[in-house]
């Protein structure tokens, strides 16, 4: 099995077309087809079902695809690792983070990292913890900031707890104070309040809804489906109250009232994750160190 054959296989699997795949990898289509056939002979199984105008993966092809992607991603990481040995003057870090962490935690750390290593490209992927875990497992990310516990625990990932963060309520200063004006608000006080809620798959949505249900009520949504900036904007406009991380509330600027949650309150645990079977590249390890020492 040759590395080049895996490149060709993934290209055909992703384009579902031999000619377009050949253009993608800059090789003549007959050469690509010959290499795919050689790979199938090596594996003893057909990888594609070839019908006129329709290329689909066989069961063997479906089994090979995630492994081939991981092998190619690991080779790409190795290439960058060698490049980064030149005093971290060039290279990249692929970092995944939830949108709230991109807003609250990352700006200061990434600015310090960029000031120290201006030649390192920072590639940021925003998403929920579930999506970030999947991207890590595929080799598409070097590091990810995720919320614990993971939606699907994976022995293939190593996680290091980074911080435990309080959640707070934000609302418009012109709207009535939540919880009948008390300085701190209990989760039970949110019954009857109109909430501005994140989209499905957002860690903060799941945590807030679960806390309300634990108090015996279903939350009432004034508007739902937004990302972090949209949720803050809707709360600022007086559409309802929102539960957000304290760091995000602190960075959100004027136009929002911040109300703490009464003990025991709501918290979330943030962890830094990477694959257990592959050490992160050198630049990623340096960013990891800065995050842990922040």
């Amino acid at each position: 099995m040759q590395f080049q054959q895996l490149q060709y296989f993934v290209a055909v699997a992703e384009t579902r077309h031999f000619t377009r795949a050949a253009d993608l990898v800059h090789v003549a289509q007959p050469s690509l087809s010959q290499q795919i056939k050689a790979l199938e002979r090596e594996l003893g199984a057909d990888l594609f079902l070839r019908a006129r105008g329709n290329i689909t993966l066989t069961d063997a092809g479906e089994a090979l695809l995630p492994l081939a992607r991981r092998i190619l991603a690991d080779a790409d990481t190795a290439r960058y690792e060698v490049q980064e040995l030149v005093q971290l003057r060039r290279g990249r870090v692929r970092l995944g983070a939830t949108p709230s962490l991109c807003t609250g935690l990352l700006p200061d750390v990434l600015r310090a990292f960029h000031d120290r290593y201006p030649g390192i490209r920072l590639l940021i992927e925003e998403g929920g913890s579930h999506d970030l875990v999947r991207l890590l497992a595929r080799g598409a990310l070097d590091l990810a900031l995720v919320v614990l516990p993971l939606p699907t625990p994976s022995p293939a990932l190593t996680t290091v707890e980074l911080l435990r963060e309080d959640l707070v309520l934000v609302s418009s200063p012109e709207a009535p104070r939540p919880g009948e004006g008390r300085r701190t608000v209990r989760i039970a006080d949110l019954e009857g309040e109109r909430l501005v809620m994140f989209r499905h798959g957002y860690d903060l949505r799941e945590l807030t809804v679960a806390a309300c249900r634990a108090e015996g009520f279903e939350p009432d949504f004034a508007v739902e489906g937004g990302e972090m900036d949209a949720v803050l904007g809707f709360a600022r406009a007086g559409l309802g109250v929102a539960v957000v991380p304290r760091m995000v509330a602190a960075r959100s600027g004027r136009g929002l009232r911040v109300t703490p949650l009464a003990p025991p309150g709501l918290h979330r645990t943030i962890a830094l994750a990477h694959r257990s079977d592959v050490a992160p590249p050198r630049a990623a390890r340096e960013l990891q160190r800065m995050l842990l020492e922040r």
Side-chain angles (χ1 to χ4, degrees), residues 3 6-7 9-10 63-74:
F3 182 78
L6 294 179
Q7 288 181 307
F9 163 71
V10 170
L64 178 61
L65 183 58
L67 300 174
R69 282 174 169 159
R70 181 177 295 180
I71 291 169
L72 296 177
D74 287 347

Side-chain angles (χ1 to χ4, degrees), residues 131-145:
D131 292 334
L132 297 178
V133 166
R134 179 175 51 81
L135 291 171
L136 273 174
R138 279 179 46 189
L141 294 174
D142 301 312
L143 302 169
L145 289 164

Side-chain angles (χ1 to χ4, degrees), residues 83-96:
Q83 292 174 357
E84 290 167 1
L85 291 177
V86 187
Q87 297 180 7
L88 289 171
R89 288 201 294 259
R90 62 180 184 269
R92 70 173 184 192
V93 178
R94 301 169 301 170
L95 174 66

